[in-house]
Amino acid sequence: MFRRRLLNIAMGLSLSLGLAALPLAAAHAWEARVEGMKNHWERLITEQPEGERREGLKSLAGQAERLVAEHPDEALPRVWHGIIEASHARERSGLGALSSARAARDALERAVELDPRGADGSAYVTLGALYDRVPGGLVGFGDSDTAERMFQQALSIRPEGIDVNFYYAAFLAEEGRREEAREQARLAVAGQAREGRQASDEALREEARALLERL
């Protein structure tokens, strides 16, 4: 009888521990999928020539959208859906580009509602670039004041970021604020590449150097 009770207790503990591990396993599963999408995106934008990335980004954006639907209360899948759609928008033209840009904006704005740091500022950087580059007025949602607010948010979270400083420098250059643009471009050149984002950050560092030469 005593041995049977011990066996029942052991079985009960095993079952409860197994059930407790299920949410953790599910979390690891979606995080692994995000990591896979991030790595795929990194390869696409650094190894594929511009103009030849569209189909790959379209497929990747679909994967990200499905992951968001499966985990609607998680911020990180939305951040990557937004980043991927923003890259997809740059490969498209006309209304298709605007549709992708809107999808990116919506994903990123919801992401920062869920997580105010927006994946360590990455959401705000991409939002800033979107508000800077998308047309304004009746056609799009572009707005330079909103773009600058987004860049400032990103800088408050990750002031040394190559991406933050480069995109802000490009924005300032377009606004005719050359001295400020030079300072941000210098910070981008001096910045530290992120683990897992080395290739894309190094590409942006080179763009920052080229921008400095033009300013």
Side-chain angles (χ1 to χ4, degrees):
M1 176 69 112
F2 182 67
R3 289 180 63 191
R4 185 180 299 170
R5 285 184 64 196
L6 282 177
L7 183 60
N8 288 341
I9 290 168
M11 288 177 64
L13 281 171
S14 297
L15 181 59
S16 64
L17 288 171
L19 289 173
L22 284 175
L24 184 61
H28 287 322
W30 74 253
E31 287 171 354
R33 287 167 67 189
V34 169
E35 186 70 12
M37 287 189 299
K38 181 195 79 173
N39 292 338
H40 190 177
W41 172 85
E42 183 95 356
R43 289 193 300 272
L44 276 170
I45 66 162
T46 59
E47 297 175 12
Q48 288 282 96
E50 195 168 344
E52 297 180 16
R53 306 168 186 161
R54 182 172 173 178
E55 287 306 311
L57 288 167
K58 179 182 178 181
S59 173
L60 199 55
Q63 293 176 42
E65 188 173 15
R66 288 190 292 275
L67 186 58
V68 167
E70 292 168 22
H71 302 278
D73 296 326
E74 298 291 347
L76 196 57
R78 291 182 185 272
V79 172
W80 276 98
H81 181 210
I83 290 171
I84 292 162
E85 280 287 12
S87 298
H88 188 207
R90 288 195 290 272
E91 296 292 311
R92 305 180 74 185
S93 59
L95 293 176
L98 189 56
S99 173
S100 286
R102 284 198 175 107
R105 176 201 60 187
D106 293 348
L108 293 163
E109 289 184 343
R110 178 59 181 145
V112 296
E113 288 176 4
L114 293 167
D115 172 16
R117 290 185 62 81
D120 204 24
S122 293
Y124 290 112
V125 179
T126 310
L127 279 169
L130 284 166
Y131 277 104
D132 175 27
R133 296 178 178 188
V134 169
L138 297 175
V139 177
F141 57 85
D143 183 88
S144 60
D145 290 340
T146 304
E148 183 150 25
R149 283 200 305 274
M150 296 298 102
F151 289 130
Q152 290 290 347
Q153 285 276 19
L155 283 168
S156 72
I157 295 168
R158 190 160 41 85
E160 76 291 347
I162 296 172
D163 58 331
V164 184
N165 287 292
F166 167 70
Y167 284 112
Y168 190 32
F171 165 80
L172 291 167
E174 290 167 7
E175 295 289 303
R177 295 156 61 180
R178 293 170 64 85
E179 283 302 320
E180 293 172 87
R182 274 193 283 268
E183 177 59 25
Q184 296 302 143
R186 289 190 193 102
L187 289 170
V189 170
Q192 184 171 359
R194 291 163 289 177
E195 185 177 352
R197 300 282 295 276
Q198 289 94 336
S200 56
D201 276 352
E202 291 300 339
L204 290 177
R205 194 196 306 275
E206 289 306 309
E207 290 196 50
R209 287 194 179 104
L211 178 61
L212 264 177
E213 291 176 4
R214 296 196 301 271
L215 287 170

